Amino acid sequence: MERTLAIVKPDAVAKGFIGEIIKRYETNGLGIVGMKMLRLTREEAEGFYYVHRERPFFKSLVDFMSSCPVVVLALEGDGAIKKNRDLMGATDPSKAAKDTIRNLFGTNIERNAVHGSDSKDSAAFEIAYFFNRLEMIR
Ligand code: UDP
Ligand code: MG
C-alpha cells in the first residue's frame, strides 16, 4: 500500500465538483485516510509549492491556491501515487486524456482542478504538510 496527497483546488471547489472528484478516487482503488477543507494562507501556499518558487508562474499559482477553500485528501492504495497521476491527467487540461479529472473539470494550465503528489518523497512531504498522525484514520 502506498499513500499520496490530493487537493481539490479552488476552481473545482467553487464550481461544485468536490463530490464528482472524490467519487473518482473512491471508485478507482484510492481509499481516503485523511480529509479536510481549509483555506490556505499565502504563506501556506508558498510553503506547499516551495519547489516551484523560481518558476514564472509561482506568484500567480500562490494567489490562486490561497484565493478560496480547498479540500485536501490523504489517499491510500496499491501504487497510489501513479494511480492518482493517471486519474488526474496532464497538467494542462486541454492536453489531458479524455475522462481524466483535469480534462473533465479543469479550466486552464493553472486552474486545473486537482493536485497530486508526483513521487514518494513529495507524497511524504505533502501528507505531513497537512496531516498529523491523529488526523488520519490509520
Ligand atoms: N502551473 C501553472 N503554469 C504552468 C505550470 C504549472 O500555473 O505553466 C501550476 C498548475 O496549477 C500546476 C502547478 O502549477 O498544477 C504545479 O505544477 P507542476 O509542474 O508540478 O504540475 P502538476 O504536478 O500539478 O501536474
Ligand atoms: Mg507537481
Side-chain angles (χ1 to χ4, degrees), residues 40-53 58-59 61-63 65-66 125 129:
L40 291 166
T41 64
R42 283 199 59 84
E43 292 68 29
E44 288 164 348
E46 285 170 0
F48 182 75
Y49 280 119
Y50 183 74
V51 293
H52 293 310
R53 66 194 177 283
F58 183 70
K59 186 183 175 298
L61 175 62
V62 166
D63 287 342
M65 289 299 292
S66 57
F125 168 79
Y129 197 80

Coordinates of all heavy atoms in Angstrom, one line a residue, residues 40-53 58-59 61-63 65-66 125 129:
L40 N -6.0 28.0 2.4 CA -4.6 28.3 2.6 C -4.3 29.7 2.7 O -4.9 30.5 1.9 CB -3.8 27.7 1.4 CG -3.8 26.2 1.2 CD1 -3.3 25.8 -0.2 CD2 -2.9 25.6 2.3
T41 N -3.4 30.1 3.6 CA -2.9 31.5 3.6 C -1.9 31.6 2.4 O -1.4 30.5 1.9 CB -2.2 31.8 4.9 OG1 -1.0 30.9 5.0 CG2 -3.1 31.7 6.1
R42 N -1.5 32.8 2.1 CA -0.4 32.9 1.1 C 0.8 32.1 1.5 O 1.5 31.4 0.7 CB 0.0 34.4 0.9 CG -1.0 35.2 0.1 CD -0.2 36.5 -0.3 NE 0.9 36.2 -1.1 CZ 0.9 35.9 -2.4 NH1 -0.3 36.0 -3.1 NH2 2.0 35.6 -3.1
E43 N 1.2 32.3 2.8 CA 2.4 31.7 3.3 C 2.3 30.1 3.2 O 3.3 29.5 2.8 CB 2.7 32.1 4.7 CG 3.1 33.6 4.9 CD 1.9 34.6 4.6 OE1 0.7 34.2 4.8 OE2 2.3 35.7 4.2
E44 N 1.2 29.6 3.5 CA 1.0 28.2 3.5 C 1.0 27.7 2.0 O 1.6 26.6 1.7 CB -0.4 27.8 4.1 CG -0.3 27.9 5.6 CD -1.7 27.9 6.2 OE1 -2.7 28.1 5.5 OE2 -1.8 27.8 7.5
A45 N 0.5 28.4 1.1 CA 0.5 28.0 -0.3 C 2.0 28.1 -0.8 O 2.5 27.2 -1.6 CB -0.4 28.9 -1.2
E46 N 2.7 29.2 -0.4 CA 4.1 29.3 -0.8 C 4.9 28.1 -0.3 O 5.8 27.5 -1.0 CB 4.7 30.6 -0.3 CG 4.3 31.8 -1.0 CD 4.7 33.1 -0.4 OE1 5.3 33.1 0.7 OE2 4.3 34.2 -0.9
G47 N 4.7 27.7 0.9 CA 5.4 26.6 1.5 C 5.1 25.3 0.8 O 6.0 24.4 0.6
F48 N 3.9 25.1 0.4 CA 3.5 23.9 -0.2 C 4.2 23.8 -1.6 O 4.6 22.7 -2.0 CB 2.0 23.8 -0.4 CG 1.5 22.5 -1.0 CD1 1.5 21.4 -0.3 CD2 1.1 22.5 -2.3 CE1 1.1 20.2 -0.9 CE2 0.7 21.4 -2.9 CZ 0.7 20.2 -2.2
Y49 N 4.2 24.9 -2.3 CA 4.8 24.9 -3.7 C 6.2 25.4 -3.7 O 6.7 25.9 -4.8 CB 3.9 25.7 -4.6 CG 2.7 25.0 -5.1 CD1 1.4 25.4 -4.8 CD2 2.8 23.8 -5.9 CE1 0.2 24.7 -5.3 CE2 1.7 23.1 -6.4 CZ 0.4 23.6 -6.1 OH -0.7 22.9 -6.5
Y50 N 6.9 25.3 -2.6 CA 8.3 25.7 -2.5 C 9.2 25.3 -3.6 O 10.0 26.1 -4.1 CB 8.8 25.2 -1.1 CG 10.2 25.7 -0.8 CD1 10.4 27.0 -0.4 CD2 11.3 24.8 -0.9 CE1 11.7 27.4 0.0 CE2 12.6 25.2 -0.6 CZ 12.8 26.5 -0.2 OH 14.1 27.0 0.2
V51 N 9.0 24.1 -4.1 CA 9.9 23.6 -5.2 C 9.8 24.4 -6.5 O 10.6 24.4 -7.3 CB 9.7 22.1 -5.6 CG1 10.2 21.2 -4.4 CG2 8.3 21.8 -6.0
H52 N 8.6 25.1 -6.6 CA 8.4 25.9 -7.8 C 8.7 27.4 -7.6 O 8.3 28.2 -8.5 CB 6.9 25.8 -8.2 CG 6.5 24.4 -8.7 ND1 7.2 23.7 -9.6 CD2 5.5 23.6 -8.3 CE1 6.6 22.5 -9.8 NE2 5.6 22.4 -9.0
R53 N 9.4 27.8 -6.5 CA 9.5 29.2 -6.2 C 10.2 30.0 -7.2 O 9.9 31.2 -7.3 CB 10.2 29.4 -4.8 CG 11.6 28.9 -4.8 CD 12.1 28.8 -3.4 NE 13.5 28.3 -3.3 CZ 13.9 27.0 -3.5 NH1 12.9 26.1 -3.8 NH2 15.1 26.6 -3.5
F58 N 4.9 31.1 -10.4 CA 4.8 30.9 -8.9 C 3.8 31.8 -8.2 O 2.9 31.4 -7.5 CB 6.2 30.9 -8.3 CG 6.2 30.6 -6.8 CD1 5.9 29.4 -6.3 CD2 6.4 31.7 -5.9 CE1 5.9 29.1 -4.9 CE2 6.5 31.4 -4.5 CZ 6.2 30.1 -4.0
K59 N 4.0 33.1 -8.5 CA 3.2 34.1 -7.7 C 1.7 34.0 -8.1 O 0.8 34.0 -7.2 CB 3.6 35.6 -8.1 CG 2.9 36.6 -7.2 CD 3.2 38.0 -7.5 CE 2.3 38.9 -6.7 NZ 0.9 38.8 -7.0
L61 N 0.2 31.2 -9.1 CA -0.2 30.0 -8.6 C -0.5 30.1 -7.1 O -1.6 29.6 -6.6 CB 0.9 28.9 -8.8 CG 0.7 27.6 -8.1 CD1 -0.6 26.9 -8.7 CD2 1.9 26.7 -8.3
V62 N 0.3 30.9 -6.4 CA 0.1 31.1 -4.9 C -1.2 31.9 -4.7 O -2.0 31.6 -3.8 CB 1.3 31.7 -4.3 CG1 1.0 32.3 -2.9 CG2 2.5 30.7 -4.2
D63 N -1.4 33.0 -5.5 CA -2.6 33.8 -5.4 C -3.8 32.9 -5.6 O -4.8 33.0 -4.9 CB -2.6 34.8 -6.5 CG -1.6 36.0 -6.3 OD1 -1.2 36.1 -5.1 OD2 -1.3 36.7 -7.2
M65 N -4.1 29.5 -5.3 CA -4.3 28.5 -4.3 C -4.8 29.0 -3.0 O -5.4 28.3 -2.2 CB -3.0 27.7 -4.2 CG -2.7 26.8 -5.4 SD -3.9 25.5 -5.7 CE -3.8 24.5 -4.2
S66 N -4.5 30.3 -2.8 CA -5.0 30.9 -1.5 C -6.2 31.8 -1.7 O -6.7 32.4 -0.7 CB -3.8 31.8 -0.9 OG -3.4 32.8 -1.8
F125 N 6.3 14.4 2.1 CA 6.4 15.8 2.5 C 5.0 16.4 2.5 O 4.6 17.1 3.5 CB 7.3 16.6 1.5 CG 7.2 18.1 1.7 CD1 7.8 18.8 2.7 CD2 6.4 18.9 0.8 CE1 7.7 20.2 2.8 CE2 6.3 20.2 0.9 CZ 7.0 20.9 1.9
Y129 N 2.7 17.8 5.5 CA 2.4 19.3 5.5 C 1.0 19.6 6.0 O 0.7 20.6 6.6 CB 2.5 19.8 4.1 CG 2.7 21.3 3.9 CD1 3.9 21.9 4.2 CD2 1.6 22.1 3.6 CE1 4.1 23.3 4.1 CE2 1.8 23.5 3.5 CZ 3.0 24.1 3.7 OH 3.2 25.4 3.6

